[in-house]
Amino acid sequence: GDTAMLAAQVRRRSLAAVGRRCLSSMPPLSANELRLLQQVSRLEERVHELEEQLPARVQPARITDWDNLGFGITPTNGHVRYTWSSKTSSWDAGRFISDPYVNLHVHAGVLHYGMTLFEGCKAFRCKDGKVRVCNLGANAERLRSGANRLVMAPVPSMLFVEAVHWAVRANAEYVPPYGSGGSLYIRPFLIGSSPVLGLQPCSEFQFMVSVIPVGNYFGKGPIKGIDAKIMTEFDRAAPKGTGDVKAGGNYAADLLPLKHAKADGFGTTLYLDCNEHKYVEEFSVSNLIGISSSGTYVTPRTTSILPSITNRMLMHIARDMGIAVEERPLLWEELKSFREIGACGTATVVAPIQSITDGQARHEFGAFEQLHSLRDALQAVQHGEAEDKWGWMVEAQRSS
């Protein structure tokens, strides 16, 4: 504390002296002033060394009851962070940081203009005891697509995969044991971290990967169906907008509609297209998938729907099972006739939707048999219980 205070005082005085001299026509700095600045630099380096020795502000959790993990924030060993700078037009070598806080300029682009993208993926402790991550290439590609849309520094696939493996390995003790129903939720995200005043791209970006151990999203016992409400007062995303990238603002826009839906007793929201309000698009944070009356796997496709990686994997599995798969515009009137409806995403894989309410009309759906079998099939691959025909699962590698 005293060392930091001294360094700060010396630095302020030195910089003030430099500033005064720059504003005048006085000669260059004297030898004493140069020595003083060198001392300041050495003091700051020492302060950083001492800061690294301080106890962590948040201590990592010690988990003993893996069977009752919730779905929330649990402190781990730390996260991985890389920085991109316009000065070098490249990413640095990255760091592993134990402190779960980020120091940002008050005018950082992420704080004012929503320059943020995130991904969601998982690591599993498999039946053979190995820890594997799932389908990272698809997440890397989606993040890169979003970065291009928001004019952010794209994260190369190799760096993305390296960062995830690093974060998983450094937090290996937080991967829930096989058979517990849990997994290590991985959150890679990209932010604009440099200060900007007018609307413009940032000159610095930070790419981070944090991990959190999570339990079975549905808890113990039978999976209960969710009641959804069609939102008629709000739209989720416009055609040619940002609905097809995983931008943070897309999710913030759903908070008020979701609050209204939950106040009315519903578990989630369902959005229709904003042009005609005739075609179904997405649930609050999930793709919509359904089994039609003929047994076909159907999922909506428009330019404003986020391409779900879990949905894509389920489609591969469905085709492998001999189930017909269709991606196409889907009318709400047609959806009413479906046998099964599910909400699809990383956290849940597939959540059963037992009803959708449109105004005062409630439409109920079936027993979730076919979607349940698809969910089980994907989870069997993720946990190493079934053959991975598609090469999705890769063992977490130690960073070099």
Side-chain angles (χ1 to χ4, degrees), residues 59-73:
Q59 294 294 329
R62 297 184 182 278
I63 303 171
T64 56
D65 187 4
W66 292 101
D67 291 332
N68 290 298
L69 267 182
F71 197 87
I73 302 297

Side-chain angles (χ1 to χ4, degrees), residues 292-332:
S292 71
S293 57
S294 64
T296 300
Y297 181 117
V298 182
T299 189
R301 181 173 63 184
T302 74
T303 57
S304 54
I305 292 178
L306 180 74
S308 164
I309 293 166
T310 304
N311 193 356
R312 186 68 54 188
M313 290 190 290
L314 288 169
M315 283 190 272
H316 281 295
I317 291 173
R319 292 188 181 100
D320 190 62
M321 290 180 168
I323 300 171
V325 174
E326 295 179 359
E327 287 183 272
R328 58 176 173 80
L330 178 59
L331 286 164
W332 163 231

Side-chain angles (χ1 to χ4, degrees), residues 69-74 76 78 118-124 133 139 142 164 167-168 171 174-176 182-189 209-215 217 246 251 285 310 345-349:
L69 267 182
F71 197 87
I73 302 297
T74 299
T76 57
F118 71 95
E119 283 296 320
C121 38
K122 283 182 175 180
F124 302 86
V133 289
N139 288 101
R142 191 169 64 178
V164 171
V168 171
N171 291 283
Y174 290 100
V175 183
S183 59
L184 189 69
Y185 185 82
I186 306 166
R187 175 56 62 85
F189 59 103
V209 180
S210 62
V211 298
I212 298 172
V214 295
Y217 190 86
K246 207 166 175 63
Y251 295 81
V285 294
T310 304
T346 302
T348 63
V349 183

